Amino acid sequence: MSTQPLLQVRGLTKRFDVSAPWLNRVLERLPRQVVYAVDDVSFDIARGSTLALVGESGCGKSTVARLLVGLHAASAGSVHFDGQELASLQGAERRVLQRRLQMIFQDPYASLNPRWTVEDIVAEPLREHALVAGHDAQRARVAELLLQVGLAAADAAKFPHQFSGGQRQRISIARALATQPEFLVCDEPTSALDVSVQAQVLNIMKRLQRQRGLTYLFISHNLAVVRHVADAVGVMYLGRLVEVAPKLALFAAPRHPYTRMLLDAIPDVHMSGRARTPVQGEVPNPLHPPSGCAFHPRCPQANARCSAERPALIQTGEVQVACHAVQEGRLPARDAITPPG
């Protein structure tokens, strides 16, 4: 079996032009404005494993997800899936690869067509990629997929409005599995669900991963969920990765001050009495990001170098971190934290 990572992302960048209309710019003498939603992001995902991307809203997690599945075109950088660069593939080659790479969206209420039955929704990838021949074969395959996610075969005749949020997300998972993919991009698939339903959906995803050898990119802001599903964690801030580490290493010894801030924001249900740093400040305007390290206006360890020089993501052992304080040994040690859940 190949030891090469299934997914290799290098220097991935996405710029959005958010300038005012041309006439307004001419009359008001306004410059063009560009926002870097994703800025020079690199990571690998091993076969059969889960990488979770975490961070505050607007940090670029969902944009990374959309870049990987081709909903956005990258401004720079490359994405290699099983050794093939996605941007270089066209026509039939790209369609074959798309079958192997699918996405589960955040909102199960918006991602399903309300005018279609469940059978039509789940069978759409089968028809698009000509994976089954004949209506009977299609119906049998849809029933099989629904059973795999904990629904009944009879549910195929119903419409999305007849299901709860958790059941709708199971339908979304069944649709994503229709092409027998190897890699699933999961964009906060449980954030719109109740806690008990979240656990059910996550358990289904873990079971399917074990049975099918699936590889996941899991987008989330819930660190308790991340602790349950991930093998490795990437922490994003203002479009850039600031720390990438195996899950156990990240929760036991977080290095970047932003990672520590995110962990300190978790309610201390165990009443450990450990000193905690409260969340400070607001996320900067991405149109006018701070100079140097983007986190320095909120960082208790920042100095003059942090405000002038952007830190590189440097590998130390099994952990990558972009922080001058870490590199200079200025960051004090801290105790591990156990998230609830």
Side-chain angles (χ1 to χ4, degrees):
M1 185 175 178
S2 174
T3 58
Q4 183 185 39
L6 181 64
L7 189 82
Q8 295 175 297
V9 176
R10 295 291 179 268
L12 192 64
T13 299
K14 180 59 181 178
R15 298 182 294 269
F16 289 104
D17 189 337
V18 294
S19 306
W22 176 81
L23 186 58
N24 294 67
R25 296 204 311 273
V26 171
L27 295 178
E28 301 174 33
R29 299 183 179 180
L30 299 174
R32 279 191 171 275
Q33 288 188 305
V34 176
V35 62
Y36 280 76
V38 177
D39 189 6
D40 195 22
V41 166
S42 300
F43 58 83
D44 294 341
I45 307 181
R47 296 171 188 272
S49 69
T50 300
L51 171 68
L53 289 183
V54 302
E56 293 168 291
S57 296
C59 72
K61 308 184 300 294
S62 293
T63 303
V64 170
R66 284 161 171 74
L67 288 167
L68 296 187
V69 297
L71 294 178
H72 292 321
S75 303
S78 64
V79 178
H80 285 80
F81 181 80
D82 199 12
Q84 296 179 289
E85 186 177 5
L86 296 185
S88 66
L89 299 178
Q90 301 293 332
E93 285 185 325
R94 187 169 185 84
R95 284 177 60 83
V96 169
L97 196 65
Q98 284 174 336
R99 288 170 45 185
R100 303 170 63 191
L101 193 156
Q102 294 293 316
M103 184 168 181
I104 302 171
F105 294 91
Q106 176 179 356
D107 187 355
Y109 294 88
S111 63
L112 303 179
N113 189 330
R115 297 178 180 273
W116 286 12
T117 65
V118 170
E119 180 176 346
D120 291 330
I121 291 168
V122 177
E124 182 184 16
L126 301 175
R127 296 190 300 268
E128 181 68 21
H129 293 281
L131 297 178
V132 295
H135 184 70
D136 290 342
Q138 173 183 296
R139 178 171 295 178
R141 178 61 178 150
V142 169
E144 179 186 349
L145 290 165
L146 293 178
L147 290 172
Q148 288 179 8
V149 298
L151 295 174
D155 290 332
K158 298 178 182 178
F159 289 87
H161 72 269
Q162 297 176 268
F163 296 90
S164 67
Q167 290 172 323
R168 293 188 195 194
Q169 198 61 293
R170 295 183 191 212
I171 296 169
S172 298
I173 295 172
R175 177 179 58 186
L177 294 175
T179 62
Q180 297 185 317
E182 300 167 43
F183 180 70
L184 288 180
V185 177
C186 311
D187 186 9
E188 302 208 41
T190 62
S191 64
L193 308 178
D194 293 337
V195 174
S196 60
V197 180
Q198 284 186 14
Q200 295 171 14
V201 172
L202 291 173
N203 287 334
I204 288 172
M205 295 180 66
K206 291 289 286 183
R207 172 174 56 80
L208 291 169
Q209 184 175 39
R210 290 193 302 269
Q211 293 175 347
R212 294 170 171 246
L214 294 170
T215 304
Y216 291 148
L217 174 68
F218 196 94
I219 310 293
S220 182
H221 63 272
N222 187 329
L223 288 167
V225 169
V226 166
R227 182 170 174 263
H228 180 66
V229 303
D231 298 299
V233 182
V235 182
M236 290 190 69
Y237 187 76
L238 217 63
R240 293 179 62 87
L241 280 171
V242 297
E243 185 167 359
V244 183
K247 174 186 64 178
L248 296 179
L250 183 124
F251 282 106
R255 299 194 182 186
H256 198 282
Y258 178 59
T259 308
R260 296 184 174 192
M261 188 187 80
L262 290 179
L263 291 174
D264 283 341
I266 300 173
D268 189 5
V269 296
H270 301 289
M271 293 184 288
S272 63
R274 182 182 58 81
R276 300 160 70 88
T277 302
V279 176
Q280 301 177 4
E282 299 289 339
V283 179
N285 184 349
L287 279 173
H288 306 287
S291 59
C293 174
F295 186 63
H296 87 261
R298 307 171 68 187
C299 181
Q301 305 297 328
N303 62 11
R305 183 188 179 193
C306 298
S307 61
E309 180 185 338
R310 187 162 72 176
L313 191 68
I314 294 178
Q315 181 98 29
T316 304
E318 58 184 3
V319 177
Q320 300 176 65
V321 63
C323 179
H324 295 310
V326 171
Q327 295 163 16
E328 296 170 4
R330 293 189 281 110
L331 207 62
R334 56 162 278 167
D335 298 329
I337 184 172
T338 302

